[in-house]
Amino acid sequence: KSFVIGSELDSSPLQKSVVVGGFPVFTATERLHLRPPFVIRVSDLTVLDTVSVHVLMKNLLSVNVACGAWGSATEVCAHPGSYAHYTNLNWKINVLEGAYFRINVWSRGVSI
């Protein structure tokens, strides 16, 4: 599975990564070596190429994100399939020392 997060960052080290549409872009399989504290602002989130986890139905995707005491989730994507795109999230994630950042993708209650 692939995650792409377009974000505006209040910390400059990520500026060395790929930038698309004015926003740094990275995948969840990459490790970011930023030193907390820093802030991630997420406006859009796209999930790509998920495997089908249901025998007779297409995936209905949703995403939840947590970091320390902060957490949020998207609505279930309106169209079934292997990808989802969420806009206007307006998430501000404060990443503090020792915080664990987690992204989970779900389909009909099953973690992908």
Side-chain angles (χ1 to χ4, degrees), residues 34-45:
L34 302 175
R35 294 178 191 253
F38 59 91
V39 174
I40 301 174
R41 297 181 193 276
V42 179
S43 58
D44 299 298
L45 186 140

Side-chain angles (χ1 to χ4, degrees), residues 22-71:
F23 297 106
V25 176
F26 57 93
T27 62
T29 56
E30 296 176 20
R31 293 189 182 270
L32 299 176
H33 298 285
L34 302 175
R35 294 178 191 253
F38 59 91
V39 174
I40 301 174
R41 297 181 193 276
V42 179
S43 58
D44 299 298
L45 186 140
T46 302
V47 180
L48 304 169
D49 302 322
T50 61
V51 295
S52 181
V53 292
H54 311 289
V55 176
L56 299 175
M57 299 176 288
K58 291 185 177 183
N59 290 340
L60 277 179
L61 300 173
S62 63
V63 179
N64 70 350
V65 178
C67 183
W70 180 91

